[in-house]
Structures are given as C-alpha cells and as structure tokens.
Amino acid sequence: MKVPWGLTAVIAPIVFQAIFRKRGGFLYRKFVAFVLMGVAAFLGIIAGVTLPLVGRAHLINWTVARTEAFLNKTFLAITATVEGTENLPKGDQAAIYVCNHQTVMDIMFMGNVFPKRAAVVAKKSIRWVPFLGWFMILSKTIFLDRGNRDNAIKQARQAAVDIHRKKMGVWIYPEGTRSNSGKNELLPFKKGAFYMATQAKVPIIPIVIQNYKDIYNAKQKHFGYGDVKIKILPPVDTTDIPENSESVDKLTTDIRNQMLATLKEISSDQQDKSE
C-alpha cells in the first residue's frame, strides 16, 4: 500500500528522531526538548478537559508528567533512576513536595517522580505562556504573586485549605527560581511551602534531583543524554510545628540542609568548578 506523501512527511522526522535520539548539537536538542514540552502541554490541555468528565481530575498533572518522561526517554535518551519511592504517601494522603530547581529543563526529570494527586505552585507570569499556561490553568496550578508578600501569604493559606478539601498534594520549588549555576548548591529557600505545610498539618517530602550539568549546561552550550539520579527523602512531620516565624525558619533551614547534603551525595561524581 502506498503511503501518502503528507503522512510520510509527518512520520519520517518522528522516526528519525527516535532512532538518532543520542545525536544532535545544543541548539537542535534544545529545540527538540521544547517541542516535546509543547506536545506534553497540549496533551495536558486535552487531559484538563476530559479527565474531570470521568472523575479523574486529580490525574491531570501526573498524566502530563509521565508523558513528558516518556517523550524525553524516546526522543532524547534522557532517563532517571528514582530512589526512595517508599517515602511517597499511600492512597490519597496529601503532602507538600519540595524539590531543587536547577534549570528550565527540570521538567524533563520531574515527570519520573511526580505524584498522582498533586498541584503545582508556579509564579504568576507563567499563566500567560501559550499552551503551558493554558494547561496549568486547567490543572489548577497555584499561581503565587511573589512580588506581593500579602497576596502570596493569602494564596498559601487558601492552598492549605484546598489540600484538605480536595485531598491534593502540592509540588513546589522552594528556591523560587532556577539556580542555573551548574554547581552542587541550593539558593536560599523561600518559606511559602513551609508555612503551607504547617498550616495544613501535612508532611513535607523533600525530593532532590542530581546535578545534571553533564547532560544539560546552557553556559557551555552542552546538551547530551544519560540517566539522572533522583532521591525522595523521608517525609518530615509538621503536625506539632507551630505556624510562627521562628519555627518555620528552623523547619526551612533543616530541610534545606538535608537536601543540600543529599544533592552533594548523589552528585558526588560531578566536579564542582567552584572547588
């Protein structure tokens, strides 16, 4: 049977990229990565419309995250090895997930570990990004106005209420922005996630993604392939932690220190250029 030329023109590049997923320069592979993010976000829009109709709205983010992980494995040969899955909540138990934030490419790895029942916290400006912003609106992303402290606190309190009402967890990057340093270090943590946890009285689950500068390094214009370690740390109980500033400051510092030690541990094969 003769294959129509138009269909061949669509299928051929897909097959080519799947076969030669370990090839290509920095700009080409970065372009492919953003195309894959766009595909996942577009599917997220579809999931955001259809899954609520069948009572599965809580699976929107998880579905898109797993799709992103599959696409990156198939077309960029980027995978992840996850340790500590036994530390994830069972059933519909809610939690606050805090993860280190290295580059815009973090989305390539978080799909391997993203929980089934969780919303994402993002900065308000992402709402207006085509496809990605539309998907995030449909998936009930919590948009924080980080430029307005009073609004951010109010939104965090509302999120704490929703955690119990909807039995949903929250995924947040406590550094607030991408570090982009390529070093085994963390930026200072913002306290929103930790106030949210103490208000909702749910555990905090730290998740650490290995320093992956050997795979992606924008400064050196390098975009390779490989496997990245991700470690899920034991949950931190917040039931008896007061909501006052002193207690939240200590909680924030303790978890940051734990995550920093883990980052250095699982990235031990990386040479930190600052040393």
Side-chain angles (χ1 to χ4, degrees):
M1 184 178 74
K2 186 176 181 180
V3 180
W5 182 89
L7 184 60
T8 301
V10 172
I11 294 178
I14 297 174
V15 174
F16 178 85
Q17 182 58 39
I19 294 174
F20 296 99
R21 61 188 183 278
K22 295 182 179 180
R23 302 292 182 88
F26 175 77
L27 291 178
Y28 172 76
R29 289 179 66 82
K30 189 171 183 179
F31 170 76
V32 172
F34 279 109
V35 169
L36 298 181
M37 289 181 194
V39 170
F42 179 73
L43 293 176
I45 295 173
I46 297 174
V49 173
T50 58
L51 288 179
L53 298 178
V54 293
R56 294 291 186 271
H58 61 282
L59 294 178
I60 296 173
N61 284 315
W62 178 82
T63 300
V64 174
R66 287 298 188 271
T67 299
E68 178 69 23
F70 170 78
L71 292 174
N72 285 303
K73 177 181 179 180
T74 303
F75 295 106
L76 288 173
I78 293 175
T79 58
T81 298
V82 181
E83 178 184 346
T85 54
E86 68 277 6
N87 294 319
L88 292 173
K90 304 297 187 293
D92 59 2
Q93 180 187 357
I96 304 292
Y97 305 87
V98 293
C99 184
N100 58 317
H101 198 8
Q102 298 178 55
T103 75
V104 69
M105 297 302 174
D106 284 341
I107 193 171
M108 293 191 300
F109 307 108
M110 65 183 284
N112 295 276
V113 70
F114 197 87
K116 284 189 175 182
R117 306 183 66 93
V120 176
V121 172
K123 56 186 179 181
K124 192 176 180 180
S125 59
I126 295 180
R127 179 193 294 263
W128 312 115
V129 177
F131 293 111
L132 179 61
W134 305 337
F135 151 65
M136 296 183 85
I137 291 172
L138 288 171
S139 63
K140 308 302 181 186
T141 294
I142 301 168
F143 293 103
L144 290 184
D145 183 2
R146 291 181 178 138
N148 188 315
R149 184 176 181 275
D150 291 338
N151 281 349
I153 292 175
K154 183 179 178 181
Q155 290 160 346
R157 285 176 178 165
Q158 181 58 49
V161 172
D162 288 342
I163 285 171
H164 286 293
R165 183 168 60 87
K166 300 178 181 178
K167 296 182 179 179
M168 292 285 287
V170 174
W171 179 289
I172 188 168
Y173 295 109
E175 292 169 277
T177 189
R178 302 181 293 272
S179 61
N180 286 316
S181 69
K183 301 176 182 178
N184 298 334
E185 62 185 17
L186 299 174
L187 296 175
F189 279 9
K190 297 184 182 299
K191 300 180 180 67
F194 306 94
Y195 273 110
M196 197 182 298
T198 56
Q199 290 163 359
K201 299 302 178 188
V202 296
I204 297 174
I205 299 180
I207 298 175
V208 182
I209 300 175
Q210 172 192 356
N211 183 326
Y212 53 78
K213 66 181 180 182
D214 60 326
I215 291 179
Y216 178 81
N217 190 318
K219 292 180 180 179
Q220 296 181 7
K221 303 299 182 184
H222 170 71
F223 197 150
Y225 60 90
D227 188 79
V228 170
K229 301 174 189 173
I230 302 177
K231 189 167 185 177
I232 305 169
L233 305 184
V236 178
D237 184 34
T238 64
T239 305
D240 298 322
I241 298 178
E243 296 177 27
N244 60 66
S245 297
E246 183 179 355
S247 299
V248 172
D249 283 348
K250 183 178 184 306
L251 176 65
T252 304
T253 300
D254 288 347
I255 291 180
R256 183 182 182 277
N257 289 340
Q258 187 181 13
M259 291 178 65
L260 180 58
T262 302
L263 175 64
K264 292 179 178 179
E265 172 197 336
I266 64 177
S267 305
S268 59
D269 57 338
Q270 297 277 358
Q271 290 295 322
D272 193 329
K273 290 187 176 182
S274 66
E275 294 179 354

